[in-house]
Amino acid sequence: MVSLRCPSKKYRLDSEYTYRILVQGRIDERYSCQLNDLTITEVANDGTSLTMLYGRLGDQAALYGVLNTLCNIMHLPLLSVELVDARNDPT
């Protein structure tokens, strides 16, 4: 049986939120502008290169755009996407 932790509040597709995204592989900081100016940080890991992207995205469309760039253009395996902060309180 799978147990999921789901938010008890509803989030809006058109609201700005802070995300933390983890991918396998390296991303040079010069690609930040192609990734909605998210902060790019290399993560220490034993033997595997990992990169964390962190920052605010204007809406879900911006998030999908970043994920599309990472997966379909840069061909980096997506490890996790985390909603870190919801400045606009969910309704």
Side-chain angles (χ1 to χ4, degrees), residues 13 57 59-70 72:
L13 293 175
L57 295 171
D59 56 20
Q60 289 272 308
L63 174 61
Y64 296 149
V66 168
L67 297 178
N68 181 60
T69 299
L70 293 169
N72 297 324

Side-chain angles (χ1 to χ4, degrees), residues 26-47:
R26 288 189 177 150
I27 302 173
D28 191 286
E29 289 183 15
R30 66 183 170 180
Y31 292 106
S32 180
C33 63
Q34 295 177 0
L35 297 165
N36 282 60
D37 294 320
L38 294 175
T39 301
I40 298 172
T41 306
E42 201 169 314
V43 178
N45 189 40
D46 294 332

Side-chain angles (χ1 to χ4, degrees), residues 8-86:
S8 59
K9 298 180 181 181
K10 293 184 180 180
Y11 293 90
R12 297 176 46 95
L13 293 175
D14 61 350
S15 293
E16 183 176 287
Y17 300 113
T18 299
Y19 293 93
R20 180 180 297 121
I21 302 168
L22 187 64
V23 295
Q24 183 178 337
R26 288 189 177 150
I27 302 173
D28 191 286
E29 289 183 15
R30 66 183 170 180
Y31 292 106
S32 180
C33 63
Q34 295 177 0
L35 297 165
N36 282 60
D37 294 320
L38 294 175
T39 301
I40 298 172
T41 306
E42 201 169 314
V43 178
N45 189 40
D46 294 332
T48 305
S49 296
L50 301 178
T51 301
M52 181 181 67
L53 295 97
Y54 180 86
R56 294 192 71 74
L57 295 171
D59 56 20
Q60 289 272 308
L63 174 61
Y64 296 149
V66 168
L67 297 178
N68 181 60
T69 299
L70 293 169
C71 297
N72 297 324
I73 296 173
M74 297 179 137
H75 305 287
L76 296 173
L78 179 64
L79 302 179
S80 67
V81 177
E82 179 184 2
L83 174 65
V84 177
D85 170 47

